Amino acid sequence: MPGAYGAADPLLLLLAALAAEAYLGGLDWGLKGWSWPWRRFAELLRALEQRLDRPERGAVTLAWRGALVAALVLAGALAAGALLGLFTRHYPFAWALELLLLFGALGLRRSHRRARSVLAALERDGGAAAREALVRLGAAELAPQAVEALPRQGLAVTAVTLLERRFADGAVAPALWFGLLGLPGLFAWAAVQRACLVLSGPSVAAARGPVSGAFGRPLARIQRLLRWPAARLADLLLALAGSLRSHRRPAAPLDALAAALDRHVLAGLLLGGSLVLLVVARLLLRGQVA
């Protein structure tokens, strides 16, 4: 890391952000007003959707229009990340902004708290509270109506699946793309993920016909492409965490959710440990460690 106040090493920033999020994530900081850039971004996407997503144009035309919007989202995110990266690299203490952005992008602790709320509610036999917690956990994938239709025993099973996906999307993917590309990679992942939620998320998918869904398909494909390596790495970390527990597979859904929560914690520690090993290996290669 060059200097005490200059540009920080991205891996060290990642470690600091993971550590901070592990202890402080998921808490209400009263900073909802800081989300205005995402609200403006969502409003812009909805305005473009209203002008471009017209079913009478046909699926092929809508797919091309969606591809144009997807290209604009991706290029804009990369450009914004690159510009902000230049700022944080050349101004004293500007790395703190990078750290704050990383902290906001990670969702390790937040997902864990929501999944634990599902478990706690089910243990109290609180079906309504469990469904409410599951809606918060799966907001990017499950509509509230879909959660209401789940049987009580299916709530815990669904929470396990969602917790694993949140580990990939809210921890591994931001860390991976920031580690590879810096702020442009982080911005690209966050922008594509948010754009997919706005254009084809669960709250709007039910209101659209099969033709209209073509508009959001290019963005969804980009999201799957960006998510694929992160998901494979998350699967590996979760499998290693499961082998460290080395217990027999739980039969009851509540036991499976409790085991998934333990596995989630261990996988987060393994992710942080992997970053430590990368930092040490890089220092060794540079000859900075005796």
Side-chain angles (χ1 to χ4, degrees):
M1 187 167 69
Y5 57 85
D9 187 298
L11 293 181
L12 293 179
L13 280 175
L14 264 177
L15 273 173
L18 278 171
E21 208 277 335
Y23 285 100
L24 304 174
L27 300 177
D28 184 8
W29 293 93
L31 299 176
K32 293 182 179 179
W34 286 59
S35 64
W36 67 267
W38 285 124
R39 292 200 301 271
R40 301 289 86 79
F41 178 62
E43 290 171 0
L44 175 61
L45 284 175
R46 292 190 184 101
L48 286 173
E49 181 191 26
Q50 289 176 0
R51 292 182 63 88
L52 300 176
D53 188 9
R54 299 179 182 273
E56 65 272 13
R57 297 295 184 181
V60 175
T61 301
L62 291 180
W64 277 107
R65 291 182 175 189
L68 176 61
V69 171
L72 290 174
V73 168
L74 190 59
L78 290 171
L83 289 174
L84 190 58
L86 287 175
F87 173 77
T88 60
R89 290 291 183 268
H90 291 89
Y91 286 88
F93 298 106
W95 55 263
L97 176 60
E98 223 169 332
L99 182 63
L100 182 63
L101 290 170
L102 270 172
F103 177 82
L106 294 169
L108 195 65
R109 179 68 172 173
R110 180 169 60 248
S111 300
H112 190 87
R113 289 167 64 92
R114 290 174 179 175
R116 186 164 291 281
S117 297
V118 175
L119 178 62
L122 289 173
E123 288 176 339
R124 296 193 307 267
D125 199 26
R131 293 179 193 278
E132 182 180 349
L134 189 62
V135 167
R136 292 195 298 269
L137 178 63
E141 295 177 64
L142 285 180
Q145 297 86 348
V147 175
E148 289 297 327
L150 288 172
R152 188 179 182 280
Q153 290 298 317
L155 298 177
V157 177
T158 305
V160 171
T161 302
L162 290 174
L163 183 61
E164 292 175 351
R165 290 185 66 87
R166 294 288 77 75
F167 179 67
D169 294 349
V172 180
L176 175 66
W177 291 112
F178 179 79
L180 290 176
L181 301 177
L183 282 179
L186 181 69
F187 276 38
W189 167 252
V192 169
Q193 190 182 37
R194 184 61 61 96
C196 282
L197 184 61
V198 172
L199 296 180
S200 56
S203 61
V204 296
R208 295 177 176 171
V211 175
S212 186
F215 182 75
R217 201 168 296 134
L219 260 172
R221 288 174 177 168
I222 293 176
Q223 185 194 34
R224 286 196 295 270
L225 181 65
L226 293 178
R227 188 182 185 275
W228 189 87
R232 302 293 75 76
L233 180 56
D235 290 342
L236 176 61
L237 292 173
L238 289 168
L240 288 174
S243 66
L244 289 175
R245 295 187 78 253
S246 63
H247 296 309
R248 61 184 178 87
R249 187 173 182 178
L254 290 187
D255 294 336
L257 179 53
L261 285 164
D262 293 341
R263 192 165 61 248
H264 187 258
V265 172
L266 285 174
L269 292 174
L270 288 172
L271 177 61
S274 301
L275 291 174
V276 171
L277 291 177
L278 286 175
V279 171
V280 172
R282 189 158 66 179
L283 292 176
L284 285 170
L285 289 173
R286 292 177 178 176
Q288 296 185 23
V289 174

